[in-house]
Amino acid sequence: MKELNLQVEQKYVKKYQAGFPQLVRDMIVNWPKQIAEGQLIRLTSPNQTFLGKAYYGKQNKGDGWVFSRKEHETLSEEFFRRLLEEAVQNRQALFSDEATTAFRLFNGEGDGLGGLTIDFYDGFLLLQWYSAGIYAYQKMFVRAMFDLPFVKGIYEKKRFLREENTHDFVGGTEPDFPLLVKENGMNYATYLNDGWMTGIFLDQRLVRQKIMEEYALGKSVLNTFSYTGAFSVAALYGGALHTTSVDVAKRSVAKTSEQFAINGFNPEDQSILVWDVFEYMKFAKRKEMVFDLVIADPPSFARTKKITFSVAKDYGTLMSQLIDITAPHGTIIASTNYANFSLKKFKEIIADAFQSSKRTFKIRETYQLPSDFKVHPAFPEGNYLKVLILELDV
Ligand code: SAH
């Protein structure tokens, strides 16, 4: 493929020299009228100093990724094999941990190539492609993946399409679903061929572990936006007295019951409620209910019949309502995966909500992405996860 020469605007040259990995159209002087997805690019400064090799792939945010700062490098099978090997090396501790069989194996730009992530589910890989541009290299990359000795089968999600895939299976063998994986000794039922989500969000591993080890013993637990109840499972392992899981999606009852059952917890002993969280919080307040441990990990944006929730606009309100149903000296785990605000901003929103509630708190712990979700040093915005464990003083 013939490379395209693109020049970075002078004021951004230093940024790319410092390793910034994202290709951003607005930072380029001579962006062409037409450019093909997957196009290889040679990035230079306006006076032709070489900056890096990139590919074009239109994403939700950004227009592709720089994959090398060496002139001779190209998106070849051999190049990708090297990145994969390194990614595997970096995760040896997880591979040799028998209590954990699901984690991120390759995290886009953090592992040297933006636009593609690979999750490991007990020998099966789940690929997520974020642009048509990176998908142009699918065959070549998949070939390299099948050469890894531990790969049994491969599934994929084309994130760049709006519609969910209808056919997720790429090749190898297919497991029976649910595919049971382990995380710190807990079991999780997963589905690699059932829409965008698999049943577990692997980026919350450390938080689930902490809930199990430290925050659940003897506690009543409210898990809001509970999805398949993964946090509730961790709380039960940790000795919670009772869990209440609230999600507006009807599927959550069957999904959460399944997660409980495969871990030997009787779903009948727990509350699994199909409710709008905001309605539920009003109800709980009216009934003067309180919980010792309250968990909130909402989607960045959601619309139900009654309300539209966006983290950016509504997290403060959510927090205020959660504080009202948290027991004296209780704990709140406040989480968001919203990439567009910083940890600092998140802390401010939480502090504001406490101010108007007249209760006070301390931040006991802060979590961001675990190390398998490797973050590029020159692209800290890739560390989208923010989790604060808050302890209420009264
Ligand atoms: N915290 C979960 C993941 C949450 S995914 C975990 O760790 O596994 C987001 C979930 O929020 C989805 O299951 C969606 O159905 C639910 N949701 C979105 N808006 C909601 C609302 N207003 N009330 C209740 N649940 C909601």
Side-chain angles (χ1 to χ4, degrees), residues 225 277-278 281 296 298-303 307-322 336 338 341 345-346 349-350 353:
F225 306 95
V277 163
F278 296 91
M281 290 188 296
S300 294
F301 187 83
R303 182 178 288 140
I307 54 154
T308 315
F309 172 84
S310 89
V311 159
K313 201 161 51 54
D314 304 314
Y315 211 102
T317 314
L318 171 64
M319 270 313 288
S320 303
Q321 289 177 273
L322 290 175
T336 179
Y338 185 55
F341 64 48
K345 173 86 183 156
F346 189 43
I349 289 171
I350 287 169

Side-chain angles (χ1 to χ4, degrees), residues 227-371:
Y227 180 43
T228 65
F231 287 130
S232 307
V233 169
L236 288 171
Y237 269 97
L241 290 183
H242 186 262
T243 63
T244 302
S245 305
V246 183
D247 196 291
V248 77
K250 287 206 183 68
R251 60 163 191 246
S252 66
V253 176
K255 293 273 186 194
T256 305
S257 300
E258 178 176 49
Q259 302 291 21
F260 289 165
I262 61 165
N263 285 289
F265 302 117
N266 185 351
E268 305 281 311
D269 297 341
Q270 310 301 321
S271 304
I272 307 170
L273 308 175
V274 178
W275 275 62
D276 183 320
V277 163
F278 296 91
E279 294 291 321
Y280 182 78
M281 290 188 296
K282 276 193 238 160
F283 165 83
K285 188 179 178 186
R286 206 163 56 234
K287 298 275 176 188
E288 296 181 6
M289 294 161 73
V290 288
F291 299 87
D292 301 316
L293 174 62
V294 173
I295 304 163
D297 173 38
S300 294
F301 187 83
R303 182 178 288 140
T304 64
K305 273 178 220 129
K306 286 195 184 142
I307 54 154
T308 315
F309 172 84
S310 89
V311 159
K313 201 161 51 54
D314 304 314
Y315 211 102
T317 314
L318 171 64
M319 270 313 288
S320 303
Q321 289 177 273
L322 290 175
I323 293 167
D324 285 343
I325 55 172
T326 305
H329 306 287
T331 303
I332 299 178
I333 301 185
S335 170
T336 179
N337 59 9
Y338 185 55
N340 290 345
F341 64 48
S342 61
L343 183 60
K344 182 163 170 275
K345 173 86 183 156
F346 189 43
K347 286 181 180 171
E348 282 167 16
I349 289 171
I350 287 169
D352 286 349
F354 271 95
Q355 276 236 298
S356 37
S357 80
K358 303 198 182 69
R359 290 172 82 181
T360 56
F361 73 105
K362 284 184 192 66
I363 296 179
R364 208 150 123 203
E365 294 188 73
T366 304
Y367 285 96
Q368 291 209 257
L369 288 175
S371 61

